[in-house]
């Protein structure tokens, strides 16, 4: 049975990836940072019914010795580095922490693999945010990067460190440049989940309004369940490489909001306000991915539309709030 180590296993993608790898027959080891709230930290894994099937180990991406120890003990065949300070808006308020975890943390994980388990295959969670102020209408693996936030700058460092470890040391290290992907397990601060949670509150009479920032930005949104499959497929290839993963459809925040409110039979214009303090210091106006390479080489395709995904998220948030109301 192959063993996979997942950093960021308590996050959205970590949970979906753990579920996929368990179904594929892997032993799954997850790196979890110590927390005073460890009783609630496995919530996403519990929601997917896999909490009792993964082995959680104590470590931190900023602590190289903990990473080396874990790699030495568990001898993973595959390492998925998903851990990060992953919220763009927070990265202006905590730029150094973001650089330390999201940037240097990835270098720590690469070094742990190089030192303790160089034959392991490595996946780095890179981001379409690296394209930032876009240099081509549709972004693919050849599009130049132009990061627009401390988060994107940190991800770019991690991306190039991954490429560098591949070229310098021959590691089987791949970088997945994933466009936005969401699910009922998305963090509540990200716009899709903030909206579906807001829709559920308004529908159930728990709130009347939802305050948002820039409604004109466009994103290429897919479902996390589809996107973790792309990560796994990258490590199935004989040669490590970089891949863009996207749906190829870009929608404004405004239109996404309209679809989500529509899922509950609500008119968004009666409830959504905009607030200046939710506008970012610099914006990524448009993202639109070209995943031709992933389709041709990995046989990867998205299977869920934005409408289907938002309907699933609204349903899940309605169910959560109803359960809370029942006490
Ligand atoms: P989440 O924010 O849901 O999960 C982040 C994970 O990183 C959590 O498990 C968190 O642990 C962990 N983490 C944070 N800091 C540390 C640390 N110092 N040491 C160890 N673990 C830490 O992110 P997603 O699942 O949405 O995304 C997964 C990865 O993919 C991230 O790297 C993200 O930046 C990247 N990405 C995501 C995209 C998306 O649309 N979702 C798009 C492109 C890239 P804890 O639970 O304790 O907070
Ligand atoms: P990102 O693409 O990784 O930054 O993902 P987010 O979901 O955080 O943001 C996507 C887009 O939604 C960005 O262009 C934000 O400016 C925009 N947006 C508008 N209002 C909000 C809001 O209230 N919260 C968040 N998170 N984003 C918002």
């Amino acid at each position: 049975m192959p063993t996979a180590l997942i950093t960021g296993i308590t996050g959205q993608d970590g949970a979906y990836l753990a579920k996929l790898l368990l179904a594929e027959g892997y032993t799954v080891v997850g790196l979890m940072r110590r927390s005073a709230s460890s009783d609630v930290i496995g919530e996403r894994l519990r929601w997917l019914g896999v909490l009792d099937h993964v082995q959680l180990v104590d470590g931190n991406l900023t602590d190289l010795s903990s990473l080396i120890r874990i790699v030495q003990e568990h001898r993973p065949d595959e390492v998925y580095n998903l851990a990060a300070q992953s919220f763009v808006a927070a990265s202006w308020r905590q730029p150094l922490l973001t650089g330390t975890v999201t940037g240097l943390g990835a270098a720590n994980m690469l070094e742990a693999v190089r030192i303790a388990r160089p034959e392991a295959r490595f996946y780095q969670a890179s981001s379409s945010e690296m394209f930032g102020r876009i240099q081509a209408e549709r972004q693919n693996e050849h599009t130049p990067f132009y990061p627009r936030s401390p988060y994107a700058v940190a991800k770019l460092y991690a991306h190039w460190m991954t490429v560098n470890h591949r070229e310098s040391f021959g590691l089987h290290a791949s970088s997945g440049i994933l466009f936005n992907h969401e699910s009922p397990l998305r963090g509540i601060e990200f716009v899709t989940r903030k909206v579906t949670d807001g829709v559920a509150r308004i529908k159930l009479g728990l709130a009347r309004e939802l305050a948002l920032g820039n409604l004109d930005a466009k994103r290429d949104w897919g479902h996390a369940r589809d996107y973790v499959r792309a990560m796994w497929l990258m490590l199935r290839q004989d040669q490590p490489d970089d891949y863009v993963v996207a749906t190829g459809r870009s929608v404004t925040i405004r239109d996404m909001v309209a679809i989500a409110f529509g899922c509950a039979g609500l008119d968004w214009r009666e409830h959504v306000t905009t607030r200046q303090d939710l506008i970012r210091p610099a914006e990524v106006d448009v993202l639109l991915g070209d995943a031709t390479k992933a389709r041709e080489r990995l046989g990867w395709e998205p299977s869920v539309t934005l409408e289907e995904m938002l309907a699933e998220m609204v349903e899940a948030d309605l169910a959560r709030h109803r359960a809370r109301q029942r006490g």
Side-chain angles (χ1 to χ4, degrees):
M1 253 195 339
T3 297
L5 170 64
I6 303 175
T7 74
I9 193 163
T10 56
Q12 169 189 257
D13 291 7
Y16 278 105
L17 180 64
K19 183 164 175 130
L20 171 77
L21 296 179
L22 287 166
E24 294 294 335
Y26 284 70
T27 298
V28 175
V29 178
L31 177 117
M32 197 176 82
R33 56 176 165 167
R34 206 213 77 79
S35 159
S37 317
S38 52
D39 52 334
V40 290
I41 213 138
E43 266 318 304
R44 293 186 172 98
L45 292 161
R46 189 174 290 123
W47 204 80
L48 290 177
V50 297
L51 182 60
D52 295 337
H53 305 287
V54 298
Q55 190 180 345
L56 297 174
V57 295
D58 199 13
N60 197 298
L61 219 54
T62 60
D63 185 313
L64 176 59
S65 65
S66 72
L67 304 181
I68 293 176
R69 174 180 52 77
I70 290 164
V71 171
Q72 278 172 341
E73 269 174 31
H74 296 278
R75 306 180 57 73
D77 302 291
E78 298 174 11
V79 175
Y80 295 86
N81 184 43
L82 310 185
Q85 190 302 94
S86 68
F87 187 38
V88 170
S91 75
W92 278 283
R93 299 189 290 270
Q94 300 185 25
L96 302 182
L97 175 114
T98 303
T100 305
V101 177
T102 306
L104 284 176
N108 280 337
M109 198 62 245
L110 280 160
E111 279 295 275
V113 169
R114 181 179 73 78
I115 292 164
R117 187 81 171 147
E119 61 273 47
R121 296 185 173 195
F122 182 90
Y123 173 84
Q124 169 58 22
S126 290
S127 166
S128 56
E129 287 290 319
M130 301 187 311
F131 294 121
R133 181 178 275 172
I134 52 168
Q135 305 292 299
E137 197 183 327
R138 295 172 78 90
Q139 301 89 55
N140 66 20
E141 296 78 9
H142 304 293
T143 307
F145 299 117
Y146 192 140
R148 292 271 280 170
S149 63
Y151 166 80
V153 172
K155 279 287 181 191
L156 201 48
Y157 171 79
H159 168 74
W160 283 117
M161 284 302 280
T162 304
V163 174
N164 192 258
H165 270 60
R166 178 167 79 216
E167 295 177 353
S168 305
F169 305 116
L171 289 194
H172 191 296
S174 292
S175 174
I177 306 171
L178 270 50
F179 282 60
N180 297 53
H181 46 279
E182 323 290 313
S183 74
L185 299 182
R186 183 63 143 148
I188 197 118
E189 66 274 37
F190 294 89
V191 73
T192 53
R193 181 74 203 294
K194 181 175 171 182
V195 168
T196 61
D197 179 71
V199 167
R201 284 171 191 275
I202 292 167
K203 183 72 183 174
L204 298 176
L206 301 170
R208 295 173 62 91
E209 286 194 347
L210 178 66
L212 296 174
N214 175 16
L215 301 181
D216 294 321
K218 296 178 87 173
R219 287 292 181 276
D220 177 333
W221 283 290
H223 198 298
R225 199 171 42 238
D226 281 339
Y227 284 43
V228 300
R229 192 158 35 82
M231 298 175 186
W232 176 65
L233 288 170
M234 282 176 219
L235 299 203
R236 305 266 60 68
Q237 307 307 304
D238 290 339
Q239 297 303 322
D241 209 337
D242 307 323
Y243 296 89
V244 159
V245 177
T247 69
R249 174 184 174 202
S250 186
V251 173
T252 60
I253 309 302
R254 185 177 291 99
D255 288 345
M256 179 275 289
V257 167
I259 297 168
F261 274 78
C263 291
L266 297 170
D267 182 348
W268 71 278
R269 285 165 300 196
E270 292 170 11
H271 302 284
V272 171
T273 57
T274 49
R275 239 176 50 202
Q276 199 56 33
D277 63 306
L278 293 170
I279 307 279
R280 298 174 177 185
E283 181 61 285
V284 173
D285 295 318
V286 186
L287 289 173
L288 173 60
D290 169 9
T292 304
K293 180 174 169 183
R295 194 170 59 245
E296 289 178 353
R297 304 232 187 123
L298 306 177
W300 179 86
E301 296 233 20
S303 72
V304 182
T305 65
L306 178 62
E307 286 77 4
E308 289 165 345
M309 182 177 76
L310 290 170
E312 181 190 346
M313 292 172 69
V314 168
E315 270 315 308
D317 279 318
L318 282 167
R320 282 190 185 103
H321 285 295
R322 284 194 186 110
R324 264 176 227 154
Q325 278 180 321
R326 282 195 300 270

